[in-house]
């Protein structure tokens, strides 16, 4: 297993259940890796969509991936506070090419005032039908929504301001060394 080191840049590749490439982030700075997780930072990172469109992320964001949980978390650092975008997705794998995961459509958005919204339910239901998501996948994802909401409600991990501050500060330190 290839684990990148602190300060390395990696690509992130999001796939759909049918194996098609969905989205790629070109340069995510690695802030920490462990046996089960990876923390990174995107800052004006080039994103390529499956249809070839390109865009740059607008603000710095701390990204969190785990090998045991079926979600990943993006903490977007904005002028009005931190917003979160959480993808219900397979646990990540990583190789020499990229960090990779399967995006399962459902997303949870958390606004700076704490408001939560479950997004893309229609897309999830359409893809579940089209690609025959198994009852097991459906159950795992719904259980992980509960875990994710518990983390949000209790300010756990990436959902604490201290976490975001510590990792953003580390990103600033590492990026100024270059």
């Amino acid at each position: 297993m290839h684990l990148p080191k602190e300060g390395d840049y990696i690509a992130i590749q999001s796939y759909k259940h049918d194996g098609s490439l969905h989205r790629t982030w070109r340069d995510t700075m690695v802030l920490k890796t462990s046996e089960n997780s990876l923390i990174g930072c995107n800052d004006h990172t080039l994103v390529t969509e499956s249809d070839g469109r390109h865009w740059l992320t607008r603000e710095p964001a701390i990204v969190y991936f785990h090998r045991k949980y079926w979600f990943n978390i993006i903490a977007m650092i904005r002028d009005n506070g931190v917003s979160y975008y959480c993808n219900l997705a397979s646990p990540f794998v990583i190789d020499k090419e990229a960090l990779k995961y399967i995006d399962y459509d459902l997303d949870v958005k958390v606004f700076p005032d704490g408001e939560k919204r479950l997004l893309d339910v229609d897309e999830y239901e359409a893809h579940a039908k089209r690609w025959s998501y198994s009852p097991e996948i459906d159950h795992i994802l719904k259980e992980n929504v509960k875990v994710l909401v518990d983390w949000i409600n209790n300010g756990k991990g990436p959902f604490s301001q201290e976490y975001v501050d510590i990792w953003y500060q580390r990103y600033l330190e590492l990026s100024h060394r270059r």
Side-chain angles (χ1 to χ4, degrees):
M1 170 178 55
H2 166 76
L3 277 183
K5 299 183 302 299
E6 177 185 80
D8 286 351
Y9 284 89
I10 62 167
I12 296 173
Q13 295 174 345
S14 166
Y15 291 84
K16 286 300 186 181
H17 185 78
D18 69 345
S20 61
L21 185 62
H22 172 56
R23 184 174 290 137
T24 301
W25 291 259
R26 195 180 72 191
D27 292 311
T28 298
M29 182 191 278
V30 174
L31 303 176
K32 181 179 185 206
T33 56
S34 70
E35 183 182 335
N36 287 318
S37 66
L38 183 139
I39 301 167
C41 186
N42 288 327
D43 191 3
H44 297 86
T45 300
L46 179 66
V47 180
T48 304
E49 301 288 344
S50 59
D51 64 6
R53 287 180 300 125
H54 299 289
W55 53 278
L56 288 177
T57 59
R58 289 192 312 246
E59 64 271 313
I62 303 299
V63 296
Y64 173 86
F65 295 89
H66 203 280
R67 289 188 195 276
K68 304 238 187 272
Y69 296 110
W70 284 64
F71 53 78
N72 56 63
I73 301 165
I74 304 162
M76 297 167 288
I77 303 164
R78 297 182 169 154
D79 293 340
N80 65 339
V82 178
S83 292
Y84 294 90
Y85 201 87
C86 313
N87 297 294
L88 273 292
S90 69
F92 79 93
V93 296
I94 194 161
D95 60 23
K96 290 182 176 162
E97 184 183 26
L99 179 148
K100 301 172 181 179
Y101 66 91
I102 298 169
D103 181 305
Y104 279 102
D105 317 307
L106 290 173
D107 304 302
V108 176
K109 175 128 189 210
V110 184
F111 296 86
D113 65 3
E115 178 192 347
K116 296 179 283 298
R117 280 196 204 145
L118 182 63
L119 306 174
D120 301 331
V121 174
D122 292 349
E123 183 183 355
Y124 173 78
E125 289 172 354
H127 286 164
K129 201 172 283 181
R130 182 192 311 165
W131 293 319
S132 304
Y133 294 175
S134 70
E136 180 185 35
I137 294 266
D138 186 65
H139 176 75
I140 289 168
L141 293 170
K142 287 175 177 163
E143 288 302 308
N144 274 265
V145 168
K146 292 176 191 171
V147 172
L148 185 59
V149 169
D150 179 66
W151 283 29
I152 294 165
N153 289 341
N154 292 296
K156 193 171 175 184
F159 297 102
S160 85
Q161 186 64 50
E162 295 78 19
Y163 178 103
V164 173
D165 292 344
I166 287 165
W167 290 112
Y168 184 57
Q169 187 58 46
R170 186 66 187 135
Y171 164 71
L172 293 174
E173 291 166 6
L174 290 168
S175 62
H176 286 109
R177 284 190 193 165
R178 298 188 177 270

